[in-house]
Amino acid sequence: MSESSAPGAAGSAAGSAAEGTATAGGQDWAWTIDQVDGWTAVPSSADPADVVREWQDEVVAAVLASVEPTMDQMIDLGVPVSDADRRLMHQNVAESVTNLVAFADQVAPDARVAALVGLQDRGPVPVLVSVALSEPGTEDDILMQVLGATGGNPVNAPSIEYLDLPDGDGIRVTRTEIDPDSAEVWLSVGLGRRTEHTDAVVDTVLLWRTQDIIIAEAVGAALDELLPAVRITRSGP
C-alpha cells in the first residue's frame, strides 16, 4: 500500500486488542487480527498501562512521519510555519491517538478497533472490527443491515458489491448519508465476510465512516487487506 508509511511496529497488536471471542450453539470461537502492514490493533484502557503507552508512542511516531513532510514542503514553498504550529500539530496527533483508545473502550468487549496509520498527511483512520455467529440457514438480511445496505438516511441507494473470497462470501456496501442532527454528509463503507459451517454461520464485519472523501480509495484498498487478516478458529472441543 504505497500511501502508507507506517513502520512494522505500528502494525503489531497490543495485548488483547487483536483478540475476541464469540459463542453459538454452545460452541466457543476465537478470533484474532493478524498483523497487516499499515494497520494496528488499538488497545483499550483495560490493557496494561505500559503496553498502552508503548503502543501510543509507536503510533504517534508513525503518524508524525506521515504528516511532517507536508509541513516541510510548505516551508519550501515559502509558507511560514512557526514552532507553535509544529507544537500544535504534535498535540493534535497525540490527541487523535488517545481518542483511538477511548473509542476502543466504547466498543469493547463486543468489537475491536483497528486503525490505518501512515496515510500521507492524515491522522490514524479507525475501523470497527467485529465477528458474529448465528445458526445455519441464517438469512443475509441481518448482515446486510449491519453493513449499511438498509436503514438510515442515504443520499442515494447504497452501492452493493458481492465478492468471491477464498474463505467465504464477501459483501461491500458503500453509501453516503445525511446526519439528521447536523445535516452533514458522511461516507460509510461496510465490508463483510460470511463463512458457513455445518454448525454455525460466521460473519466478519469491518465498518468505516468518514467525511474525508479524498482518502476513500486508499482506505477501501486497505480494508481489502485487513479483512483476510481477521482469523477465526474454534476455541473449544
Side-chain angles (χ1 to χ4, degrees):
M1 186 170 50
S2 59
E3 295 85 353
S4 176
S5 59
S12 60
S16 61
E19 302 172 354
T21 58
T23 303
Q27 174 71 57
D28 292 331
W29 298 68
W31 57 276
T32 59
I33 305 173
D34 292 337
Q35 183 168 329
V36 182
D37 286 345
W39 286 99
T40 177
V42 180
S44 72
S45 57
D47 287 296
D50 58 334
V51 171
V52 177
R53 282 194 300 270
E54 181 181 359
W55 175 86
Q56 288 176 318
D57 290 344
E58 291 177 352
V59 176
V60 166
V63 175
L64 287 175
S66 69
V67 299
E68 285 186 322
T70 299
M71 187 165 284
D72 294 336
Q73 290 170 8
M74 292 171 60
I75 295 174
D76 292 340
L77 293 173
V79 178
V81 176
S82 66
D83 290 341
D85 292 331
R86 287 190 179 275
R87 285 195 298 270
L88 180 59
M89 180 190 66
H90 281 244
Q91 178 182 331
N92 289 339
V93 168
E95 288 180 353
S96 70
V97 174
T98 299
N99 289 339
L100 290 176
V101 178
F103 184 23
D105 286 344
Q106 292 175 5
V107 302
D110 297 325
R112 298 291 183 268
V113 177
L116 182 62
V117 176
L119 286 182
Q120 183 177 358
D121 201 28
R122 291 295 189 276
V125 179
V127 171
L128 192 67
V129 182
S130 63
V131 172
L133 278 72
S134 56
E135 299 296 326
T138 298
E139 298 293 332
D140 287 341
D141 295 353
I142 296 177
L143 178 58
M144 295 292 281
Q145 181 179 0
V146 171
L147 293 174
T150 60
N153 300 281
V155 176
N156 300 300
S159 169
I160 302 174
E161 301 174 71
Y162 293 92
L163 312 171
D164 186 14
L165 304 177
D167 51 355
D169 298 321
I171 304 173
R172 179 188 289 108
V173 178
T174 305
R175 61 184 281 167
T176 53
E177 58 185 318
I178 299 177
D179 188 308
D181 297 324
S182 63
E184 296 176 328
V185 177
W186 289 79
L187 170 72
S188 64
V189 178
L191 185 60
R193 176 186 63 198
R194 169 159 288 188
T195 305
E196 298 188 6
H197 301 269
T198 56
D199 55 348
V201 175
V202 184
D203 289 336
T204 306
V205 173
L206 309 181
L207 296 176
W208 174 56
R209 193 166 183 259
T210 187
Q211 290 182 294
D212 193 354
I213 310 299
I214 294 176
I215 64 173
E217 183 176 352
V219 176
L223 290 173
D224 289 342
E225 296 177 358
L226 179 63
L227 183 61
V230 182
R231 183 166 44 87
I232 306 161
T233 57
R234 297 176 188 267
S235 57

